[in-house]
């Protein structure tokens, strides 16, 4: 199961280039649009981190999944962590890509508190939402935003940009993401930081992280990998936050290798 990120992201945007390659390798791939994103209707409940984590468990139960690996990008990575911590019993492994939930504030360094306070204020006044919608209609702003998410210009294709512009124009994901932001962004910190709970992360984890990720600096991924008892860290050189869009071949190879190791570990000893 693959969980997409926030903003105007969707299963198609994040996993459209990954899912078919995993399926071609023999895996059943499930990539849902979260409530209010992509083609999914808005939820009848307020979008919070806890409620999104609960939704993943409800989806797993509805699909009758008895043994599965789960992975996510950014917001989806945070949902993955929360799901594993809450319900590890049937999960064989987790894949965290540029994951949310492993840092205390939106940024690091001496300006982290002022930036946190400014974002909190802009959320409360509606300015952040207005700025996001304006950026989605501005080709120059959109190009700058994509450059911060995908380092390789060759991967910022016309087709990808057109899909993002279409999602932005339709407004899909904005309301759900802003509800989640209001839940998570406090004036002095982020509401959810799973770092203290990572030593109890009880399934194998693959952490894939861009070396130039400015949204979640790679040092936090390294810390998470050190805290999770069975974790491997794959730092993708030169990649930014949307790591599977930035370096798809490297990321897919890492995921396939991890899934193969999970399958091998799950075999009876006489069949290994």
């Amino acid at each position: 199961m693959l969980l997409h990120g926030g903003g105007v992201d969707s299963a198609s945007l994040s996993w459209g280039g990954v899912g078919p390659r995993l399926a071609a390798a023999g895996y059943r791939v499930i990539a849902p649009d979260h409530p209010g994103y992509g083609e999914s209707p808005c939820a009848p409940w307020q979008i919070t981190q806890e409620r999104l984590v609960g939704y993943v468990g409800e989806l797993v139960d509805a699909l009758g999944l008895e043994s599965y690996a789960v992975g996510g990008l950014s917001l989806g990575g945070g949902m993955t962590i929360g799901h594993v911590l809450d319900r590890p019993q049937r999960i064989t492994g987790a894949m965290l890509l540029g994951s949310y939930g492993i840092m205390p504030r939106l940024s690091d360094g001496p300006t982290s508190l002022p930036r946190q306070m400014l974002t909190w204020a802009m959320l409360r006044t509606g300015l952040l939402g207005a700025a996001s919608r304006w950026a989605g209609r501005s080709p120059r702003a959109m190009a700058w935003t994509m450059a911060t998410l995908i380092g390789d210009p060759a991967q910022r294709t016309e087709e990808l940009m057109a899909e993002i512009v279409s999602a932005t124009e339709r407004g899909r994901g904005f309301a759900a993401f802003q509800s989640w932001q209001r839940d998570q962004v406090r004036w002095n910190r982020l509401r959810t930081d799973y770092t203290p709970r990572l030593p109890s992360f009880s399934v194998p984890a693959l952490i894939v992280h861009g070396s130039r990720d400015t949204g979640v600096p790679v040092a936090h991924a390294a810390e998470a990998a050190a805290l999770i008892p069975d974790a491997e860290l794959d730092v993708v050189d030169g990649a930014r936050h949307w790591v599977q869009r930035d370096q798809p071949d490297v990321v897919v190879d890492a995921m396939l290798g991890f899934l193969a190791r999970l399958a091998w570990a799950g075999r009876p000893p006489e069949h290994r």
Side-chain angles (χ1 to χ4, degrees):
M1 177 175 285
L2 301 175
L3 307 175
H4 66 75
V8 297
D9 201 5
S10 65
S12 174
L13 278 169
S14 263
W15 306 115
V18 173
R21 296 174 67 175
L22 299 184
Y27 297 99
R28 179 191 180 194
V29 180
I30 300 167
D33 286 330
H34 309 325
Y37 292 84
E39 301 302 324
S40 289
C42 295
W45 28 263
Q46 182 181 358
I47 302 292
T48 66
Q49 180 70 13
E50 290 81 3
R51 195 62 192 84
L52 285 176
V53 170
Y55 134 80
V56 177
E58 293 165 4
L59 180 60
V60 165
D61 290 342
L63 294 172
L65 303 184
E66 294 298 329
S67 178
Y68 61 98
V70 59
L73 166 79
S74 195
L75 166 63
M79 293 163 64
T80 298
I81 295 173
H83 179 59
V84 170
L85 291 172
D86 284 358
R87 301 179 45 165
Q89 294 81 8
R90 290 176 281 171
I91 304 172
T92 59
M95 298 170 285
L96 308 176
L97 285 66
S99 182
Y100 176 74
I102 58 174
M103 56 191 295
R105 289 181 180 158
L106 290 165
S107 60
D108 291 338
T111 63
S112 66
L113 180 56
R115 291 180 66 181
Q116 186 81 24
M117 294 174 68
L118 177 61
T119 303
W120 174 83
M122 291 182 68
L123 270 170
R124 294 313 184 272
T125 60
L127 289 175
L128 187 60
S132 297
R133 286 180 169 83
W134 170 83
R137 295 190 297 268
S138 167
R140 179 174 293 183
M142 180 66 72
W144 179 86
T145 299
M146 286 301 102
T148 68
L149 296 175
I150 301 173
D152 183 359
Q155 300 299 332
R156 301 195 293 268
T157 64
E158 292 183 5
E159 292 79 9
L160 174 62
M161 296 299 290
E163 188 174 357
I164 294 170
V165 169
S166 176
T168 302
E169 290 175 344
R170 291 161 56 205
R172 300 299 291 160
F174 272 128
F177 188 56
Q178 287 171 20
S179 175
W180 176 84
Q181 286 179 309
R182 287 191 292 270
D183 170 65
Q184 287 298 292
V185 179
R186 296 183 173 180
W187 72 270
N188 62 340
R189 62 181 178 88
L190 293 170
R191 185 179 178 197
T192 299
D193 179 6
Y194 292 115
T195 304
R197 300 179 60 191
L198 292 183
S200 65
F201 199 94
S202 58
V203 305
L206 170 68
I207 300 175
V208 182
H209 214 90
S211 66
R212 298 176 62 200
D213 187 336
T214 56
V216 183
V218 69
H220 294 286
E223 181 184 9
L227 290 171
I228 294 174
D230 185 2
E232 55 184 279
L233 174 63
D234 192 337
V235 177
V236 183
D237 187 42
R240 292 187 179 272
H241 187 61
W242 211 352
V243 62
Q244 79 273 30
R245 277 287 188 179
D246 202 333
Q247 298 288 336
D249 292 343
V250 175
V251 174
V252 169
D253 285 349
M255 295 174 76
L256 287 173
F258 179 69
L259 292 170
R261 290 189 290 276
L262 293 179
W264 178 264
R267 291 180 180 179
E270 63 271 20
H271 295 298
R272 292 181 184 173

